[in-house]
Amino acid sequence: MEHRSRPAPGAGTDTVTGLAPEAGRTPGNAVRDRAGDPDARWLTALMHAAFFLLLGASLTRFLLRHPGEVRTPWIIALSVAIAVLYVLGPVLGSRPTPRSLVWLGVLVAVWMVLVVLAPSFAWCAVPLFFTGLRILPPRAALALVALLTLFVVAAQLRLAEGFDPNLVLAPPAVAAVATAVFVHMQRQAVRQRELSERQRELIDDLLRTRRELAATERREGTLAERQRLSMEIHDTLAQGLSSQQMLLQAADRTWDADPATARRHVRTATGIAERNLAEARRFVHDLAPADLAEGGGLEAALHALAARETAQGQGRLTVRCHVEGERHTALPDRVQSALLRIAQGALANVKEHANATEAALTLTHLDDRVVLDIADNGQGFVPTGRTGTAGSVRGHGLPAIRARLHQLGGTLTIESVPGEGTVLSAAVPLTATSPPTVPEDLV
């Protein structure tokens, strides 16, 4: 059996030869390149065992048939020498280096001398076939196999009493079978190596694709969260600051002529500032609407919103809230938050654009969905375009409402006629929602 030092882990060595595979090696060395190839290990172990078995059998046969001859000590010495040489082979390695080529030449030469002295040693040639095929390039290996086959044929003819065609044809047939088996093993090793490399490439591609997908999902999540925060700020802080600006400007205009009205405007602006401060603190805490955080649910939050907008309108806008139907299960937090923000954004549009005196919030609970209607008696408009807004309407109110509903899988319906007011109807399904995405008109 082979005795060699174990290479360092990860060094890319060959478990058959103990040497690192190198680029540019001949096809005849392909089996050795398959580190951990069970077929290569099995074939190598079989050839080692066969060689020593044939060598021992040949020596035993000679000693039994030719005891006490003058050549017997030479036969024994050469048998020991060829056994020692064969054991040294794995130490030298199986690459076609000068040392391995010298070793193979000496091994074959000793075997030839043995065959000349005792033809029964001819069958040790079969393991030598594989040794030559493992070390030499293809053409040199085939030449060596042919040479060994000729010696085997000559030896068998010497042992025969007369000419026997089987002795002439059998050794070449055995050599052909041995060569074919080795070539088959070689091709299997090459095919297995290519398959392993392809699998590694596929695994690398899969890992790279997973990393790219994870990075894309992170970017999409960041974009969606950024869009959500922009809509939250638009529907709360931005609208509140806009209302404060209008109230303070009105107070400045009436400060000298009507101090009481001016102070009322300032107090209203102060109330809006307090509400915005609560919203800002809620953003810092958990980004949930402050009205929902008070614990009354969506219905209570809509009633509080209607009362607050009515108070801030100071008689110019009255907002009422109605709830229809019974809620069988609690609405998801994201649905409640979205509907409240939609109501805030819609009322902000009513105050800024509609010139309305009355508005109504109607929350309707149905079996499979919840619907929020925002109606006003303002000047109305002609809905056009993808967002259903009039071309002259500025801002992001309606696009933001559509974006919120799109994230929940809901729909927005706008009914408006110039001079007859507007009704916005936001419907959200309660069974399933679509994944959050960023609408194109808000990117």
Side-chain angles (χ1 to χ4, degrees):
M1 299 299 293
E2 298 183 38
H3 301 282
R4 65 175 70 90
S5 60
R6 183 177 297 274
T13 57
D14 188 345
T15 59
V16 176
T17 65
L19 296 174
E22 297 180 357
R25 298 176 68 180
T26 61
N29 298 319
V31 172
R32 305 188 304 278
D33 290 339
R34 290 301 304 156
D37 184 2
D39 292 335
R41 292 198 302 267
W42 170 84
L43 182 60
T44 302
L46 179 61
M47 289 300 103
H48 291 337
F51 178 82
F52 288 105
L53 180 62
L54 292 172
L55 181 63
S58 299
L59 179 60
T60 302
R61 181 180 184 277
F62 177 84
L63 293 177
L64 291 176
R65 293 197 175 188
H66 307 279
E69 290 190 4
V70 177
R71 55 179 175 167
T72 300
W74 289 100
I75 297 298
I76 296 175
L78 290 174
S79 298
V80 173
I82 197 171
V84 172
L85 286 172
Y86 194 86
V87 170
L88 291 177
V91 177
L92 298 175
S94 58
R95 291 181 300 174
T97 60
R99 288 195 306 171
S100 63
L101 292 177
V102 171
W103 167 82
L104 180 60
V106 174
L107 180 67
V108 172
V110 173
W111 173 81
M112 287 181 177
V113 173
L114 268 174
V115 172
V116 171
L117 296 177
S120 59
F121 284 88
W123 288 110
C124 293
V126 175
L128 295 181
F129 290 163
F130 284 89
T131 302
L133 290 170
R134 291 177 61 226
I135 294 179
L136 298 176
R139 292 183 179 179
L142 293 178
L144 178 63
V145 169
L147 177 63
L148 296 180
T149 303
L150 290 177
F151 261 79
V152 172
V153 172
Q156 295 300 312
L157 291 176
R158 284 180 57 193
L159 291 175
E161 296 179 355
F163 178 77
D164 188 348
N166 287 335
L167 298 180
V168 177
L169 299 178
V174 172
V177 170
T179 304
V181 169
F182 183 86
V183 170
H184 176 70
M185 297 287 294
Q186 163 193 317
R187 291 180 178 177
Q188 277 191 328
V190 172
R191 195 176 301 115
Q192 185 176 359
R193 182 173 65 251
E194 292 175 351
L195 179 60
S196 177
E197 292 174 355
R198 179 58 179 165
Q199 288 176 342
R200 285 196 295 270
E201 292 176 359
L202 291 176
I203 292 174
D204 292 340
D205 291 342
L206 177 61
L207 293 176
R208 183 170 59 255
T209 302
R210 290 181 61 182
R211 289 192 295 267
E212 292 175 354
L213 179 60
T216 300
E217 290 178 347
R218 285 194 296 270
R219 287 194 298 269
E220 291 180 351
T222 301
L223 199 59
E225 182 65 13
R226 184 184 302 170
Q227 183 61 38
R228 189 181 74 86
L229 290 176
S230 68
M231 292 186 298
E232 294 282 347
I233 295 173
H234 172 271
D235 294 339
T236 56
L237 300 181
Q239 298 295 344
L241 292 173
S242 178
S243 299
Q244 292 177 58
Q245 182 184 27
M246 291 187 296
L247 288 169
L248 292 176
Q249 288 174 348
D252 182 64
R253 289 193 299 268
T254 60
W255 191 266
D256 295 329
D258 191 352
T261 300
R263 283 191 293 271
R264 187 166 63 250
H265 289 330
V266 172
R267 286 193 296 271
T268 303
T270 302
I272 296 175
E274 292 176 355
R275 196 68 196 173
N276 277 3
L277 180 60
E279 288 284 359
R281 288 172 176 169
R282 182 56 53 186
F283 280 145
V284 175
H285 184 261
D286 59 1
L287 298 179
D291 288 327
L292 291 177
E294 295 175 356
L298 179 60
E299 293 82 354
L302 291 176
H303 281 289
L305 174 64
R308 187 167 61 252
E309 294 294 339
T310 299
Q312 293 175 2
Q314 299 179 355
R316 295 186 302 275
L317 177 64
T318 302
V319 182
R320 297 181 176 84
C321 182
H322 308 281
V323 178
E324 299 180 357
E326 295 183 0
R327 182 179 59 186
H328 301 290
T329 57
L331 294 176
D333 291 341
R334 61 194 300 252
V335 173
Q336 295 188 57
S337 177
L339 290 177
L340 179 58
R341 295 306 191 199
I342 288 172
Q344 292 173 334
L347 290 178
N349 283 346
V350 170
K351 292 189 298 182
E352 186 173 356
H353 304 296
N355 295 326
T357 59
E358 294 183 0
L361 302 176
T362 304
L363 182 66
T364 304
H365 294 283
L366 302 175
D367 293 336
D368 59 344
R369 64 186 184 277
V370 59
V371 181
L372 175 64
D373 296 320
I374 304 98
D376 68 75
N377 63 348
Q379 62 186 9
F381 61 92
V382 179
T384 59
R386 291 180 53 215
T387 60
T389 60
S392 61
V393 177
R394 62 178 177 84
H396 298 282
L398 290 178
I401 291 174
R402 280 193 183 274
R404 291 184 186 279
L405 290 172
H406 182 76
Q407 292 174 351
L408 298 173
T411 57
L412 175 65
T413 303
I414 303 175
E415 298 178 2
S416 183
V417 177
E420 297 183 8
T422 302
V423 177
L424 272 67
S425 180
V428 178
L430 299 180
T431 54
T433 59
S434 61
T437 56
V438 180
E440 295 178 2
D441 51 358
L442 287 180
V443 174

